[in-house]
Amino acid sequence: MKRSTPLGLASSITAAALGLAAFQAVADGHGRGRLPQLAAATPAALAGTCEELAARASGLPGTVITGSTTVPAGTLALAGQPVAEHCRVTGKMNERISPADGKTYAIGFEMRLPKAWNGRFFHQGNGGIDGSVVPATGSFGGGPLTHALLQGFAVLSSDAGHTLAQGGPAFGLDPQARLDYGYQAVGTLTPMAKQLIAAAYGKAPDRSYFGGCSNGGRHTLIAAARYPNDYDGYLAGAPGYRLPLAALANIFGAQRYASVATADPSTPAGLETAFTAAERRTVASAVLARCDALDGAADGLVQDTRACQKAFSFTRDVPTCPGSRDGSCLTQAQKAAIAPIFSGATTANGERFYAGFPFDSGLGAGGIPFWEFTAPLALDSGAVGVIFKVPPSAQALANGPAFSLGLDIDATLAELRATNATFTESAMAFMTPPHASDLSTLRRRGAKIMVYHGVSDPIFSVSDTEAWYRGLSRETGGDPEDFARLYRVPGMGHCSGGPATDQADFLGPLVAWVEQGRAPGSIVASARGAGNAGGVNAELPASWAPNRTRPLCPYPNVARYKGYGDVESAASWRCRPSRHHGRHDD
């Protein structure tokens, strides 16, 4: 629910071969007919000057262009690489005064348009509750070495129809602002952006892509479901595609922690006394002791997540304190309180409403406390109480901790699905993809989707994303890998960080798949140790090589050590099925 820092991109895209037929047929490899092959994008140069562009784009429906200026080469840089000269265009759409709260709303945006354009459009889905027009670079975190703007894409960023200055989650009091945040801002911005590109270059984009992490990943999956004809490639990181339920599950977790906290649980520091940093490291060490070698090498990473969940027992393998707590054990009361957070949030009668979280090596990482102990009091309270619930709650704005710790989970679950005369779409309607597993239109037209997710993500469960992917499999009558791939990143937290190889290029393989028909296999990811050009990850264990690489495998395969070669090198690993061949846990 916070501004996201998605996974990094590690290599630039080479120019695709020109002259492919727009819908060249290719075999899908699964006996289900043939999928179309989309043509490659072709470059173009900006027509005229940036300052002239505002006048040329003045007739865009519902749009006010507020600025169009030249950004000289080198003004922006990434990993030591200067971004080429481009136009920065700012504007707003559908400005209005809300009858609900009297505030002025609009969909604010910026576009960055390279002078030398590669023919592609990238719609940047932003994180948290949006509300800010962040730079339209198409940048992915985790130590990015390149981004979409650097590669020559035209890139769009928006605030999704509200500003944080209007009171953070208070925009949820306005019904239209809720809908814009959920999905309608994307539907409004997309045709405008393509028309603006046409005004700038004399042609619309040949290929269009949508991507983001966290809430940006949610935006991506919603765009894939609601707007399958508008984009050719979708790149979703840690997609909180059931965000209202994930936020409520995080509040459920806070209530569990509060039951064993030894200080005031209405403060993040007090809530953290339920499961301290030392205790989280103890659990992570126990997971590694039981699961690290399941992939053939004891290297500080758990590659075979499914096998680990069968091998590891929270009750058995984590030491139980014989007396007072000292960080090396958990009390029986702690285990009883914390276990349901990992197994999945439930209603009072035990019905699970959100996925569980797998035990993984990143449980002791520094990014965990924010999501576990701060977010439910400061972020999820406002999101659930004001943006998602029908009716919204005044208490959630006035006292977030009291709202979350006293929340009736069962009643709120019903309110996430409720509507009334003012709020005619429920949170579960406007915040989630309709028919999330049915991407048949996207598939039939030759579009592709790639998803990545950290196994140690503490706010959006990788298990939930796995369940979504299995839904695609059921919907397509088999393996959906002819148009969709899922990559799990062991050890990685929310979008980046943790003891993980979290620097990887997904956009390059996605473009190659969409425009050249080269289906992605394993993707090499790097650790960000000392000297990394994209930024150092301080959470890497000292025992790792600073430039460790690992293959990220298409789900459900996992990386397994070959038994020979440098354990720090991806070349010594290969993607194989999990050792556990039982049923999947939903």
Side-chain angles (χ1 to χ4, degrees), residues 132-219:
S132 300
V133 182
V134 301
T137 59
S139 185
F140 290 73
L145 298 178
T146 186
H147 52 44
L149 181 63
L150 188 66
Q151 297 173 12
F153 285 73
V155 185
L156 169 74
S157 171
S158 86
D159 61 12
H162 61 274
T163 67
L164 294 177
Q166 291 171 309
F171 77 86
L173 299 175
D174 178 77
Q176 183 59 48
R178 285 189 178 197
L179 300 182
D180 283 338
Y181 171 57
Y183 68 95
Q184 290 187 8
V186 170
T188 300
L189 288 162
T190 298
M192 180 280 301
K194 292 184 178 183
Q195 291 172 55
L196 182 57
I197 289 171
Y201 301 105
K203 70 168 188 174
D206 297 314
R207 298 274 74 88
S208 297
Y209 296 83
F210 199 114
C213 197
S214 188
N215 178 57
R218 180 195 69 85
H219 278 306

Side-chain angles (χ1 to χ4, degrees), residues 269-432:
L271 198 60
E272 189 173 358
T273 62
F275 196 20
T276 67
E279 290 166 341
R280 294 192 301 277
R281 288 193 295 269
T282 291
V283 175
S285 296
V287 172
L288 284 172
R290 179 65 66 175
C291 301
D292 193 355
L294 293 175
D295 53 29
D299 63 339
L301 277 175
V302 177
Q303 299 287 351
D304 199 337
T305 302
R306 290 184 62 213
C308 180
Q309 306 319 298
K310 300 299 177 181
F312 178 78
S313 167
F314 183 59
T315 301
R316 177 196 67 213
D317 295 327
V318 176
T320 301
C321 298
S324 61
R325 293 166 56 184
D326 62 4
S328 67
C329 56
L330 297 180
T331 66
Q332 291 285 10
Q334 282 180 293
K335 289 185 177 182
I338 294 169
I341 299 173
F342 285 98
S343 60
T346 65
T347 61
N349 66 4
E351 181 180 353
R352 192 166 65 180
F353 64 85
Y354 189 67
F357 290 81
F359 291 102
D360 191 46
S361 60
L363 295 175
I368 301 296
F370 175 85
W371 295 108
E372 295 290 289
F373 311 120
T374 299
L377 306 180
L379 299 182
D380 299 316
S381 51
V384 170
V386 186
I387 304 172
F388 302 151
K389 238 169 51 65
V390 174
S393 167
Q395 185 193 26
L397 287 176
N399 190 330
F403 170 82
S404 290
L405 296 179
L407 192 66
D408 184 324
I409 298 293
D410 289 19
T412 304
L413 189 60
E415 290 171 327
L416 298 183
R417 298 186 169 95
T419 61
N420 63 20
T422 302
F423 300 99
T424 58
E425 291 187 37
S426 74
M428 294 305 294
F430 72 77
M431 285 296 292
T432 68

